[in-house]
Amino acid sequence: MNFCMVGIDYHQAPVAVRERAFLSRDRVSVVARDLMALFKAQGVFILSTCARTEIYAQGISVEELQSAFIMLCQGEKSFLELRQGRDAIAHLFTVASGAESPVFGDSNIVRQIKEAYFLGRETGTLTRLLSRVLERTLCAGRDIRRALQLTQREGDVAVRAIQLAIQKHKGLKGKNIYVIGCGVVGQSLIEELCQQRARIQIVANRRHDRASFIAQEHGCLAVRFEDFYNGLAEADLIFSATNSPHYVVSRDMFERRVPADKEMVIFDLAVPRDIDNNIEGFSGVRIYTIDDIGAPGEERLVSQARHIAHCKAKAFFAREKIHAV
């Protein structure tokens, strides 16, 4: 059986490289179908998150998949990671545990794998074997988390970002804080900030009704982007986590609205990035990306997670009577 993985992740590739290879939900479906039509893959599963874009394929060689990744995902060869057979499956098991995430133990990865799995089923790009691999992946990830005694909170990207903000900004009291986006990460940010009794405003246009509901629930304000832009000069701290394919705050817009000596800390947790990184040229502005807030686990725990994953992958291959590569 030819089963392989080609991808990039935060270990090798900085955010500027990963955002070029990032695939939106629609692009995932297109790339998966192209892999089957142009490269004759039997089945394809794609996982694209802020930390990684990885393509798992059945029925083609790892060299063919590498060529496809470079062509379809704007991947740079020097950053690519290649895995085959049992090693590819063990890697996916470890990823599902959160042990390979920028913030060790990140529990959001389980939701992301589930969503990618359901999308693959909708698109019709999963073989029966790939479906069994993914079902086993979710179980293996859960088992590894239990073995490592990982809690949901300690692997939360939002919690980590806010902890860093408190350290760098000497607390949150009296600060004008904006949270851009009200998706999964945005909601985690809002909940944690409200627990810290911070004064926040939620920024959203496309999901403004949803933002208003969340704001009412937490006793804060919801504003549209126009109001946010008009009040940008008053912001002290910004957290941004949207699914926008382009900047929601550009340097040109920032330059026109914010004094050159304004001090501001921005946490851009999105990939592709929400905030134009050229804004950091302003003397008082500091931007932190998902790479900057990383909190990798102890090597001992990461090694333990990988060992458990390899044991589970070996057992899976034996149970499915698959020849190990």
Side-chain angles (χ1 to χ4, degrees):
M1 177 200 70
N2 285 334
F3 183 87
C4 53
M5 183 282 287
V6 173
I8 61 171
D9 67 16
Y10 75 99
H11 289 297
Q12 294 87 18
V15 66
V17 174
R18 298 200 311 276
E19 67 185 355
R20 289 198 295 272
F22 177 81
L23 299 173
S24 66
R25 179 183 171 89
D26 291 340
R27 281 291 296 156
V28 164
S29 299
V30 170
V31 169
R33 290 193 184 106
D34 284 349
L35 270 163
M36 297 181 74
L38 301 177
F39 291 85
K40 308 305 179 185
Q42 295 172 9
V44 177
F45 169 72
I46 300 176
L47 180 64
S48 194
T49 72
C50 64
R52 68 190 69 250
T53 293
E54 295 176 343
I55 301 179
Y56 296 79
Q58 182 184 345
I60 61 174
S61 70
V62 72
E63 292 80 14
E64 290 171 314
L65 185 56
Q66 181 184 43
S67 298
F69 193 102
I70 292 170
M71 183 179 83
L72 299 172
C73 304
Q74 301 181 52
E76 297 183 29
K77 189 174 182 179
S78 60
F79 292 107
L80 295 184
E81 181 180 14
L82 284 62
R83 296 179 182 270
Q84 300 182 69
R86 196 162 70 201
D87 184 45
I89 292 178
H91 172 70
L92 184 56
F93 286 1
T94 314
V95 167
S97 73
E100 298 285 4
S101 297
V103 178
F104 183 73
D106 177 18
S107 57
N108 281 325
I109 188 64
V110 176
R111 173 187 56 81
Q112 292 165 333
I113 290 175
K114 282 182 180 178
E115 290 176 354
Y117 175 28
F118 294 145
L119 180 57
R121 288 174 58 178
E122 288 174 21
T123 309
T125 59
L126 301 181
T127 61
R128 280 195 290 180
L129 177 61
L130 266 174
S131 292
R132 290 199 296 274
V133 167
L134 291 166
E135 288 163 4
R136 190 60 208 153
T137 294
L138 295 170
C139 294
R142 178 200 60 205
D143 292 345
I144 295 169
R145 291 184 67 85
R146 285 177 178 171
L148 270 56
Q149 298 183 324
L150 295 175
T151 66
Q152 187 164 348
R153 181 180 171 81
E154 69 184 311
D156 194 313
V157 172
V159 171
R160 171 62 184 166
I162 292 167
Q163 288 173 344
L164 191 57
I166 292 171
Q167 293 171 15
K168 300 294 183 181
H169 220 307
K170 298 178 182 178
L172 305 176
K173 188 176 180 180
K175 303 293 189 295
N176 291 320
I177 303 172
Y178 288 91
V179 176
I180 306 176
C182 55
V184 173
V185 176
Q187 288 185 59
S188 293
L189 286 165
I190 293 162
E191 289 171 7
E192 183 65 20
L193 286 165
C194 288
Q195 285 183 18
Q196 297 286 340
R197 302 183 181 228
R199 184 178 63 198
I200 66 173
Q201 296 185 59
I202 306 168
V203 184
N205 262 8
R206 186 170 60 87
R207 304 182 68 183
H208 187 71
D209 290 346
R210 174 68 178 157
S212 297
F213 175 80
I214 295 171
Q216 187 175 20
E217 192 175 40
H218 290 88
C220 50
L221 295 175
V223 298
R224 295 186 182 275
F225 271 96
E226 182 181 352
D227 299 319
F228 163 65
Y229 293 144
N230 290 335
L232 185 56
E234 304 303 318
D236 298 308
L237 188 57
I238 297 172
F239 296 90
S240 192
T242 80
N243 293 321
S244 174
H246 50 72
Y247 293 140
V248 298
V249 180
S250 67
R251 180 185 172 91
D252 177 62
M253 184 277 298
F254 192 89
E255 213 167 20
R256 285 187 278 110
R257 288 173 168 82
V258 180
D261 59 350
K262 169 68 179 179
E263 291 190 359
M264 188 183 300
V265 177
I266 302 173
F267 286 84
D268 187 352
L269 307 182
V271 176
R273 285 171 289 183
D274 285 335
I275 312 297
D276 189 339
N277 62 302
N278 290 315
I279 290 172
E280 203 164 25
F282 287 73
S283 60
V285 177
R286 176 70 169 96
I287 301 176
Y288 295 90
T289 69
I290 189 71
D291 290 354
D292 298 316
I293 71 164
E298 297 176 24
E299 186 56 38
R300 174 183 61 84
L301 293 176
V302 176
S303 295
Q304 185 181 350
R306 290 171 179 166
H307 174 72
I308 297 170
H310 275 277
C311 291
K312 289 184 175 294
K314 183 178 180 180
F316 176 81
F317 266 58
R319 185 167 55 252
E320 297 291 331
K321 296 183 171 60
I322 302 170
H323 173 66
V325 178

